[in-house]
Amino acid sequence: MSVEVRPGDATFATILAAAQAGESWAFTHLWVEHAPAVAAFLRARGSRESDDLTSEVFLVVVERIGEFRGDRAAFRSFVFSIAYRRLVDELRMRSRRGEAEEWTSEIDPRRASSAEDEATSRLGDRDALALLDGLAPDQRDVMVLRVVADLTVEQVAEVLGKRVGAVKALQRRALENLRKKVAHTRTPASPSDDSDE
């Protein structure tokens, strides 16, 4: 008697075994669980084509999944190690070729959008990316992997090929730098003019 395992009920080991056996539902489950974080990581680190690069990452995952051994956390490190290497390749290629950007009407500087649309699009992400871009490259990599990719310190160390202590030191320095930048731009609280006299 054959029992069908539904993706929602499956444990990671079952999903992994099914993916290694070539079951499409298992690959779909792994994609849904990990692709959004991979794309966010790639976008935060400056990938111009984060969706395409995410697809490339998962093509490599599919090719190499038969070699993988480990639990869910190890699989996440495995995926982000591939993503990090693909990102480095993209950045190197761009630095050799120079910057090129496909024309679209949305990014044409001669096109005027509403002030509200422009203000909304510039808030949040731009400020966060500007803060991260102000960090040293190693610190930025650690912070993006820790915050955007939600990896543990040990997983970040594995992805970047560094010791755990080095990752902790980079994270500590990055947080100190970010605190200084944020504290410098904050408006100090002023004393209230109201008094109970």
Side-chain angles (χ1 to χ4, degrees):
M1 179 174 153
S2 174
V3 177
E4 183 179 335
V5 178
R6 294 179 301 173
D9 298 336
T11 64
F12 176 76
T14 304
I15 294 167
L16 178 63
Q20 289 174 329
E23 295 288 335
S24 61
W25 69 262
F27 286 115
T28 301
H29 182 87
L30 293 172
W31 169 269
V32 168
E33 185 175 346
H34 298 283
V38 169
F41 162 70
L42 295 170
R43 207 171 13 261
R45 283 295 289 118
S47 174
R48 296 279 189 253
E49 301 292 333
S50 59
D51 292 337
D52 291 345
L53 200 55
T54 300
S55 296
E56 288 180 30
V57 167
F58 278 87
L59 286 174
V60 175
V61 169
V62 168
E63 289 173 8
R64 294 182 47 203
I65 199 158
E67 307 163 14
F68 176 77
R69 302 290 179 265
D71 61 5
R72 183 182 304 270
F75 185 77
R76 192 167 177 86
S77 293
F78 169 71
V79 170
F80 276 93
S81 293
I82 295 168
Y84 182 75
R85 288 184 193 106
R86 291 292 173 166
L87 175 68
V88 168
D89 291 345
E90 178 190 322
L91 297 175
R92 280 186 191 142
M93 189 178 307
R94 256 194 359 231
S95 70
R96 284 193 298 253
R97 289 185 184 166
E99 293 293 322
E101 195 167 334
E102 181 180 335
W103 181 87
T104 63
S105 61
E106 291 83 25
I107 63 168
D108 189 337
R110 299 169 295 183
R111 178 181 171 266
S113 62
S114 73
E116 181 181 347
D117 289 343
E118 195 162 322
T120 303
S121 69
R122 290 185 178 192
L123 293 175
D125 288 347
R126 187 190 78 201
D127 294 337
L129 288 175
L131 280 171
L132 290 173
D133 285 342
L135 296 173
D138 282 351
Q139 292 175 12
R140 184 177 54 228
D141 287 341
V142 167
M143 292 308 294
V144 171
L145 286 168
R146 288 282 290 136
V147 176
V148 177
D150 196 28
L151 297 181
T152 65
V153 170
E154 292 78 12
Q155 291 170 322
V156 172
E158 183 179 330
V159 169
L160 298 178
K162 296 186 180 296
R163 293 184 327 275
V164 170
V167 170
K168 287 179 180 179
L170 286 166
Q171 178 177 309
R172 186 177 56 253
R173 279 187 244 131
L175 289 172
E176 288 169 5
N177 288 335
L178 290 173
R179 273 189 208 104
K180 289 176 188 172
K181 289 178 184 188
V182 171
H184 179 67
T185 60
R186 283 190 179 168
T187 306
S190 58
S192 171
D193 290 337
D194 297 337
S195 61
D196 294 334
E197 292 178 24

